[in-house]
Amino acid sequence: MPSRPTPPSSSIRRAAIVCIVGLLACNVECQEEPAGAVTSSKLQIQLPKSLTKPGGYDHREALFGIPPYGGSISQNLYYADDDDLCDASTIDTRSGYPIRAKDEDGNMLPWPSPYILMIDRGGCTFTQKVRNAQRVGAAGVIIADNTCLCSAGDKCHSDPGKDCEAREPIMADDGSGMDISIPSFLMFKQDADLVKAEMRANHAVRIEMSWSLPSPDDRVEYELWTTPTDIISRDFLREFKQAAVALGKRAYFTPQMYIYDGVRSGCQGMDGQNACYNLCTNNGRYCATDPDNDLDKGISGADVVKESLRRMCIWQHYGEDDGVGVQWWDYVAEFMFRCNTEEFFSNNKCIIDAMDHAKVDSTKIQQCMTDSGGLEADAQNTILELQLLAKDKSGVVILPAMYVNRVSIRGSLEFQVVFKAICAGYASGTLPTVCQICSNCPDQKECIANGFCGPKKLQESVSTSTMIYSMIGLSVFFCLVSVIQQRRHQRQMEAQVKGIIAEYMPLDENNQAQNTSVAEEDGEFT
């Protein structure tokens, strides 16, 4: 195991803890809205026409759930009214508006599936509301904001006793949203109030939630923001190589390593010294949080920065030209398999072994890390500086983050979600063959691996049925041949019999003549 710095004193440890808090705070506060951000979704009311808006309604997407990229959900909207859907045991699907017909027992019929449900904000987290709506059969959710934004001015009227909000609410994941598959939007109060009034008047409202990605040409660009210690992205990094290879030059991948700006976060003190101990490299310039939150042992933030730089160098040498980077995917998989533990994370022997198995030239990569500025001196590293600039430009806050054609992909980082989003990003008429065959296949990974949609058993059954039909055909053929041969044999036998009969016919005639003469002589003697 490589040597570690001398354990910090209590004062340095306290300062490092302050730095960790500063790094995490900077993750949210220091980010700006990405320049030229692209909206991938649209919210529109189809009925009544009086509520239809050109271009749709302003809204915000949830950071959880799985939107159907390239598709839409258009259903009747129902308002849960007083039910905030925070308690799954008390949800009444027979309440709300518009009022429906009654059943034989005199109770109002439940919300008819499929439907989109509008729920008031407040009472519990967004994820809890949407999860409970999913459990009762909603195809999508609209969260109606109950507080005006200060920026809305006179367009929005706050409820009595409520002040306006200076910042827009974010439909963030509370950490438990991995099981949510339906999409959800937040509608601002001034718009939601009009929609709720229409439903309270018992008028049907039909709403459409749609998702599209910019489709500029016949090549899609996608990028993943993560860190070498991120747990959520591991399965994706192990599995997506085959899709990247299948897409080939029709898609360009860019891996991005998320690091912190130590200067901005206060890790480089006024005296120019590293104030964040082993969280940073380059004397406090480039930092990462400690994955095990133990400054004395285990993987340090500086170790994470070093591995991030290594992966960026591997991409420069083996992926930047073609946008596929087979060796990059292989190295990441090998590293996770061999070195992703406290003992071996920064072990040079293990890292070189992983690079050898991935057919990566370790000498070239080490030279790249050195030439970019290294990690020891109080100097800029050109590759890490570019990562900081790219991070600020993208506006990424939550990790891992996937972008397709510069649009942030919502939902969990799963193979099928990303692959479907990539296939939705091609210009009309330019869809690659692998997308045509596999994008709507239930098992996309198996489809890409096999080249067809469906399990191998199905392919085997097709082959078996084909063989059976072939055998039946051959049997019929041989039967026909047998019949023809039998008839031919019969004709030959008939010909032989006739030949034999023809040979014996003269003998019969002679015998008849002789018999006749004898009879005549006998007649004379009588």
Side-chain angles (χ1 to χ4, degrees), residues 21-32 167 258 264 397:
V21 175
L23 291 176
L24 295 175
C26 190
N27 185 27
V28 177
E29 299 296 336
C30 296
Q31 299 300 321
E32 300 176 354
R167 292 187 176 186
Y258 194 98
R264 187 188 297 183
V397 174

Side-chain angles (χ1 to χ4, degrees), residues 12-26 30 259-290 295 301-302 305 378:
I12 295 178
R13 184 180 285 107
R14 285 195 297 271
I17 292 172
V18 171
C19 288
I20 293 174
V21 175
L23 291 176
L24 295 175
C26 190
C30 296
I259 58 172
Y260 294 94
D261 187 335
V263 176
R264 187 188 297 183
S265 303
C267 284
Q268 193 174 70
M270 297 295 293
D271 56 357
Q273 297 300 310
N274 180 6
C276 292
Y277 183 53
N278 62 0
L279 298 178
C280 306
T281 64
N282 301 78
N283 200 34
R285 290 178 181 271
Y286 312 109
C287 309
T289 55
D290 191 310
L295 297 175
V305 174
D378 183 9

Side-chain angles (χ1 to χ4, degrees), residues 222-226 237 252-258 308 311-316 319-320 323-325 328-329 332 383 387 390 401-402:
Y222 63 111
E223 61 181 275
L224 171 65
W225 282 93
T226 185
L237 290 170
Y252 190 94
F253 174 60
T254 303
Q256 305 281 18
M257 296 292 112
Y258 194 98
S308 298
R311 293 188 184 187
M312 294 310 301
C313 278
I314 292 173
W315 180 257
Q316 278 193 3
E320 207 168 57
V324 177
W328 184 89
W329 292 99
V332 173
I383 293 177
Q387 285 299 108
M402 175 64 71

Side-chain angles (χ1 to χ4, degrees), residues 121 145-153 155-159 162-167 189-190 193:
R121 178 187 172 193
D145 200 355
N146 54 8
T147 306
C148 291
L149 289 175
C150 296
S151 58
K155 295 180 181 179
C156 186
H157 302 285
S158 298
D159 295 335
K162 280 195 173 183
D163 296 328
C164 65
E165 282 185 316
R167 292 187 176 186
K189 189 176 188 301
Q190 62 270 23
D193 285 349

